Amino acid sequence: MVGKERSSKYPDYTGELYAIYILKEYQGNGLGKLLVKPIIKELQQKNLCSI
């Protein structure tokens, strides 16, 4: 899930990925990167990311 940065501790960041969990047997295979790419797009669509 993504949305606005919640803690206000990071003024340079307006959005955040709240959590991502990958089972140990799937870690280290690039799955996290594949999951983060659409998350970045979603943050950009919500104007919460400047990448």
Side-chain angles (χ1 to χ4, degrees), residues 18-31:
Y18 299 141
I20 188 168
Y21 301 95
I22 300 172
L23 294 172
K24 203 148 209 58
E25 58 264 26
Y26 294 102
Q27 294 176 8
N29 295 316
L31 183 59

Side-chain angles (χ1 to χ4, degrees), residues 10-51:
Y10 307 100
D12 294 336
Y13 299 97
T14 55
E16 73 174 286
L17 166 61
Y18 299 141
I20 188 168
Y21 301 95
I22 300 172
L23 294 172
K24 203 148 209 58
E25 58 264 26
Y26 294 102
Q27 294 176 8
N29 295 316
L31 183 59
K33 289 179 187 177
L34 289 174
L35 292 171
V36 169
K37 286 181 182 184
I39 290 167
I40 291 171
K41 285 184 181 182
E42 184 177 346
L43 286 168
Q44 288 171 330
Q45 289 171 348
K46 294 180 177 184
N47 293 320
L48 297 173
C49 180
S50 60
I51 295 175

